[in-house]
Amino acid sequence: MSGTLYGIGLGPGDPELMTLKAHRLITAAQVIAYPAPDTGPSFARSIAAEFIPQNVREIPIVVPMRVDRFPAQQIYDKAALEIAQGLEGGTDVVVLCEGDPFFYGSFMYLFERLSGRFVCEVVPGVTSLTACAAQLQRPLTSRTDVLTVIPGPLSDEDIRCRIEDAQAVAIMKVGRHLPRLKALLEELGLLEQAGYVERASLPEQKVSRLADLDCETAPYFSMILIYKGDEAWTLPPSFSS
């Protein structure tokens, strides 16, 4: 019989935010795959490092950090072939994914290639969205409020339209778009309501009012959260780094 493919959500970075199910599957794994950048260590692997068994077979999926899809698609094709070989031999394969596998998670690209041929189980994880709200200490949304998640690379016009139709907003993938996003939110009169979180749950996390942030770029793992609904939710008066 074929093995099972497990897509494991690891949460935002703090290993204590992994689920018990994720911990159980990782500690029992014989084969583990995980995304890795073309330079530097794998963030996904670093979250689970203390739970990975010795002598486990590891499959790093080295994905260039590029905007265009073509190179990454080729790499996922190759990784899917390698993973399929293990599954065909009857071995389960655990794929690590920071955050949640189906919320901007890299595992979805393996899922679309392999789920039609093999049994696949997705183990959800704490998302960066909820982790950032927890660190900001302000609820995301409630009742009939509309929450909109916006990728930062979208155009100003697209972002403006989506913000206008929402009561709560999360802007992800801030990165080099930080100055442009701050200018747009100031123009919309929302800068003072915007909170900023980077590397949520990690020792080096930063939490602040967006208006107080004095830098020209942000890391990939950063988010802007805005609330403009009917609740009297404001940003806390101070933040701890």
Side-chain angles (χ1 to χ4, degrees):
M1 294 179 63
S2 298
T4 297
L5 176 67
Y6 292 97
I8 305 293
L10 300 173
D14 182 351
E16 291 189 345
L17 292 178
M18 287 173 48
T19 64
L20 291 173
K21 187 167 189 176
H23 176 271
R24 174 175 62 81
L25 291 168
I26 292 168
T27 56
Q30 293 178 282
V31 180
I32 288 181
Y34 48 82
D38 45 1
T39 57
S42 163
F43 180 44
R45 191 193 186 285
S46 70
I47 298 172
E50 62 183 297
F51 309 121
I52 296 176
Q54 292 185 353
N55 302 319
V56 70
R57 180 187 169 203
E58 299 190 24
I59 304 175
I61 305 169
V62 181
V63 181
M65 297 294 100
R66 309 286 187 268
V67 175
D68 57 315
R69 292 171 55 86
F70 179 71
Q73 295 301 307
Q74 283 188 328
I75 289 163
Y76 283 119
D77 288 342
K78 180 181 177 182
L81 288 174
E82 188 172 0
I83 291 170
Q85 290 175 356
L87 295 170
E88 287 167 350
T91 303
D92 295 342
V93 178
V94 168
V95 181
L96 307 179
C97 183
E98 58 263 25
D100 180 273
F102 280 176
F103 185 69
Y104 292 101
S106 57
F107 175 73
M108 66 180 70
Y109 304 114
L110 296 173
F111 179 84
E112 68 179 346
R113 288 164 170 78
L114 297 170
S115 61
R117 298 165 51 197
F118 303 100
V119 175
C120 180
E121 183 173 345
V122 180
V123 179
V126 175
T127 68
S128 58
L129 185 63
T130 51
C132 286
Q135 298 302 325
L136 192 62
Q137 297 188 359
R138 185 178 65 184
L140 276 173
T141 188
S142 74
R143 297 192 297 180
T144 58
D145 288 340
V146 174
L147 170 64
T148 297
V149 180
I150 302 173
L154 289 182
S155 70
D156 284 4
E157 189 56 37
D158 283 343
I159 294 174
R160 186 194 311 273
C161 291
R162 285 163 172 79
I163 287 176
E164 287 175 350
D165 291 336
Q167 287 75 51
V169 177
I171 303 178
M172 302 180 62
K173 305 179 182 181
V174 176
R176 61 185 176 85
H177 304 282
L178 178 62
R180 176 176 65 86
L181 294 171
K182 284 184 68 175
L184 176 62
L185 293 175
E186 185 170 22
E187 179 185 331
L188 294 172
L190 295 173
L191 187 60
E192 295 301 321
Q193 296 162 247
Y196 172 84
V197 184
E198 69 179 52
R199 299 187 174 97
S201 83
L202 294 172
E204 63 270 28
Q205 80 170 11
K206 179 185 291 186
V207 185
S208 72
R209 296 172 180 271
L210 183 61
D212 297 338
L213 195 64
D214 185 22
C215 55
E216 291 300 311
T217 188
Y220 179 81
F221 293 106
S222 58
M223 188 178 300
I224 296 169
L225 294 177
I226 303 161
Y227 183 74
K228 60 189 190 79
D230 293 332
E231 301 292 341
W233 293 333
T234 60
L235 291 170
S238 62
F239 296 95
S240 59
S241 300

